[in-house]
Amino acid sequence: MASELYNTIDALSREKGIDPQIVVSAVEDAIVVATRKYYKTQENLRAQLDKDTGKIRAFAVKTIVETPEQVEDPTLQVTVDDARKSDPNAEVGGELQIPKPTEGILGRIAAQLAKQVIFQKVREAERDTVYNEYIGRVGEIVNATVKRIEGPDVIFDIGKAESRMPRKEQSRLESFAIGERVRVVIARVEKASKGPGVVVSRAAPELVQNLFQTEVPEIYDGTVVIRAIAREAGERTKIAVMSKDKEVDAVGACVGMKGMRVQSIIRELRGEKIDIIEYHEDSVTFAEKALQPAKVSRVTVVDAADKHLEVVVDDSQLSLAIGKKGQNVRLAAKLLGWKIDIKSEEEKRQEVEEQMAQLTGTTATPLESVTDLGEGLVEKLKAAGIATVEALADMTPEQLEAIEGIGPKTVEKISVAANNYFAGLEGGEAVALPEGEVGEGEIAEGEVPLDAEAIATEEVPAVEELPAEDTAASESAELEATEAEEASDAQPAADEAEAETPESTEPAEKKD
């Protein structure tokens, strides 16, 4: 018949769900620690529990050697001759057990130490049992009861063990009361942990998946398949579904009549928003659906190997596509498994313009290529920051005149030189340049004012300017001559009219 001590150990083992032999070993180790504490010895001690009597015996164990010369440590080794004095059957290589009295010698301190050792061993055994029980159930949904709240953590009772829900595994919309029953996901199992080793979560996507399997029969029987879930607990969840039956609408099945099915899940999640999206094999089409409720203008695959997409939306849809603090695009990227860059139409247009500007700006022709400018003028232009022919072509006459040392005549020379350079590239004819270099307000040597030069070269006919009075007189004379000419032209027409008048009136007189 088992002793009362062994019956207590057996009951404790069943309560903790561990093997009774583990508790027995813990008790024996505790007795060894207490005995060593009492005798203050470094001998190799061993304890043994008698199941029937409930007594615990302690022994000092020594290894048996053949000769005294082989004894290196008397507390651990003994010669065969000395061993046979206590045990006639002792042999070399065996062990000699020397009893150590324990009854009546273990005081309060030793007993307290033994108790601590037992508790520690039992806790370690309990952790191992819990670990082995739940390590294969990670991701499973279990019903849990709120046991207590320790700071930010919530402790649940999940049946055979306690579980812990840290703050990051909780939804910001949820709060718990002692004794409340909720569904949780086993997130992970920690072996070396001071508290409960099972960590549960209410923020994992698996919780939403399980809720849809419970509420939607089409998902439970496999007609509708959940292909991807992206979730930010307490904020929003995007779920992509696909139907294996052409006659079954995957999104409609999940929403339910008048939204009853999805509303039930939203209530379970304390009001978390849920977007149900139809899955598509084409990444471009899937991206357009994943970014709902925003309307996408176009989607471009930037790098298929790196899974990178570029999405362009209308300027008014940009904030909606990005979402609050980037939430919409972040969830869409998680759902697709692709990196997504969102740009507005205006941003894309500016980007294209910059790329075109870079392409056209790659060719830079130095100013020295325009041989008609001269070294002095080239140095002035370079000092003003104009180092290429292309930059010079973009300058307006006003901008050139603003440069120190360049006047209108020099601007004209620069214009002609630039035109000649580009005409030479196109095979056109060059125009003669004015000689010398002209600065602002200067006239080149040998150069005359434009009107005098034109008159001298007969390129422009010389017109003698008349005083204002003479001009007015000539204009009035011209006007009078014109009027006289018009009057002379009108006189024959009047004579003809007079000649025709009697004939036309004659019948009228005869009638009277």
Side-chain angles (χ1 to χ4, degrees):
M1 182 177 178
S3 64
E4 183 179 353
L5 176 60
Y6 190 82
N7 290 334
T8 305
I9 292 174
D10 188 54
L12 178 63
S13 302
R14 286 196 301 270
E15 179 185 350
K16 298 295 183 180
I18 58 180
D19 187 2
Q21 188 58 41
I22 296 177
V23 183
V24 171
S25 300
V27 173
E28 291 175 349
D29 292 343
I31 295 300
V32 168
V33 172
T35 303
R36 179 174 283 114
K37 182 77 174 179
Y38 177 80
Y39 287 103
K40 297 179 182 179
T41 178
Q42 296 300 319
E43 294 178 311
N44 185 13
L45 298 179
R46 189 178 299 167
Q48 185 177 4
L49 172 64
D50 191 338
K51 179 179 178 181
D52 297 330
T53 62
K55 292 183 179 180
I56 302 175
R57 293 178 297 172
F59 304 93
V61 181
K62 293 184 178 182
T63 304
I64 301 173
V65 296
E66 187 174 359
T67 61
E69 289 78 10
Q70 295 177 339
V71 177
E72 298 177 359
D73 189 350
T75 59
L76 303 176
Q77 296 171 325
V78 64
T79 61
V80 64
D81 296 334
D82 293 339
R84 285 174 178 171
K85 293 177 183 179
S86 301
D87 183 6
N89 298 324
E91 297 292 339
V92 176
E95 291 181 345
L96 176 65
Q97 294 182 350
I98 303 173
K100 289 285 187 179
T102 57
E103 294 182 2
I105 64 173
L106 299 179
R108 181 179 60 82
I109 297 177
Q112 184 69 21
L113 182 61
K115 180 180 177 181
Q116 292 177 357
V117 172
I118 292 173
F119 283 165
Q120 181 180 356
K121 294 289 183 180
V122 169
R123 280 197 299 269
E124 291 176 358
E126 188 177 6
R127 288 196 193 103
D128 292 340
T129 303
V130 170
Y131 181 83
N132 296 330
E133 172 72 21
Y134 290 98
I135 189 61
R137 300 175 60 183
V138 174
E140 184 179 331
I141 307 294
V142 296
N143 292 319
T145 304
V146 179
K147 197 170 184 179
R148 62 184 183 275
I149 298 176
E150 296 179 353
D153 297 348
V154 182
I155 307 301
F156 292 92
D157 182 5
I158 56 175
K160 295 183 179 180
E162 288 184 349
S163 62
R164 175 174 57 91
M165 182 188 291
R167 183 62 187 170
K168 65 180 181 179
E169 299 292 347
Q170 301 174 27
S171 170
R172 68 174 187 85
L173 300 176
E174 296 180 332
S175 59
F176 303 96
I178 305 299
E180 183 180 358
R181 289 181 61 84
V182 294
R183 280 183 281 190
V184 296
V185 180
I186 298 177
R188 60 185 181 274
V189 183
E190 300 171 348
K191 195 170 185 178
S193 176
K194 292 183 180 180
V198 182
V199 179
V200 295
S201 173
R202 289 272 298 174
E206 290 83 1
L207 179 62
V208 180
Q209 182 174 352
N210 179 266
L211 292 174
F212 270 96
Q213 289 174 352
T214 304
E215 295 291 336
V216 183
E218 289 83 357
I219 294 179
Y220 183 78
D221 62 20
T223 305
V224 177
V225 181
I226 298 175
R227 296 301 301 266
I229 297 179
R231 185 184 183 203
E232 290 189 1
E235 297 287 346
R236 183 182 291 272
T237 296
K238 286 182 181 288
I239 177 170
V241 294
M242 182 185 70
S243 176
K244 293 183 177 179
D245 189 346
K246 294 181 179 179
E247 296 182 358
V248 177
D249 180 14
V251 176
C254 294
V255 173
M257 185 179 294
K258 297 183 180 179
M260 291 178 62
R261 292 176 177 176
V262 72
Q263 287 299 326
S264 175
I265 297 172
I266 291 174
R267 283 194 298 270
E268 173 72 21
L269 298 176
R270 309 293 201 275
E272 184 176 317
K273 297 177 182 177
I274 298 178
D275 295 338
I276 304 174
I277 301 162
E278 185 178 357
Y279 178 80
H280 202 281
E281 294 290 345
D282 182 22
S283 300
V284 173
T285 306
F286 191 23
E288 293 178 358
K289 295 180 179 294
L291 286 168
Q292 292 177 356
K295 295 181 181 179
V296 177
S297 299
R298 59 186 179 275
V299 179
T300 307
V301 178
V302 178
D303 188 351
D306 196 29
K307 291 188 174 183
H308 188 187
L309 290 175
E310 182 183 75
V311 178
V312 179
V313 299
D314 191 70
D315 295 350
S316 61
Q317 296 287 312
L318 182 62
S319 59
L320 188 61
I322 295 174
K324 183 180 179 181
K325 298 180 181 179
Q327 184 185 82
N328 192 54
V329 67
R330 190 165 56 247
L331 287 174
K334 288 181 183 178
L335 199 68
L336 269 73
W338 288 59
K339 291 185 288 185
I340 299 177
D341 291 340
I342 292 190
K343 299 177 182 178
S344 65
E345 293 282 3
E346 179 66 20
E347 291 173 345
K348 186 62 179 178
R349 184 186 63 78
Q350 292 178 359
E351 181 182 337
V352 172
E353 288 180 354
E354 290 176 1
Q355 291 175 354
M356 294 299 295
Q358 290 176 359
L359 290 175
T360 56
T362 52
T363 305
T365 308
L367 280 178
E368 288 79 3
S369 302
V370 185
T371 55
D372 295 339
L373 288 178
E375 294 182 0
L377 188 54
V378 169
E379 293 298 329
K380 289 181 182 179
L381 292 173
K382 283 187 175 182
I386 306 170
T388 63
V389 178
E390 290 75 17
L392 180 63
D394 292 337
M395 300 289 289
T396 63
E398 292 77 10
Q399 291 173 332
L400 289 173
E401 289 183 13
I403 300 174
E404 184 178 357
I406 294 181
K409 295 296 181 181
T410 308
V411 171
E412 180 184 356
K413 179 178 180 180
I414 292 172
S415 176
V416 173
N419 291 336
N420 287 345
Y421 172 77
F422 288 112
L425 294 179
E426 297 175 0
E429 295 183 359
V431 180
L433 283 173
E435 296 181 359
E437 216 174 275
V438 183
E440 184 176 3
E442 297 177 354
I443 298 177
E445 186 177 352
E447 189 176 28
V448 295
L450 180 60
D451 53 345
E453 183 180 4
I455 293 171
T457 57
E458 296 184 356
E459 292 180 359
V460 181
V463 180
E464 184 178 354
E465 293 185 0
L466 298 174
E469 294 179 359
D470 296 344
T471 303
S474 64
E475 287 178 356
S476 87
E478 233 176 62
L479 182 59
E480 289 176 0
T482 304
E483 289 176 353
E485 185 177 351
E486 289 177 355
S488 63
D489 291 340
Q491 186 63 36
D495 294 341
E496 290 178 3
E498 287 180 5
E500 292 176 358
T501 302
E503 296 177 3
S504 60
T505 56
E506 188 176 357
E509 291 176 358
K510 290 180 180 181
K511 186 178 181 179
D512 291 340

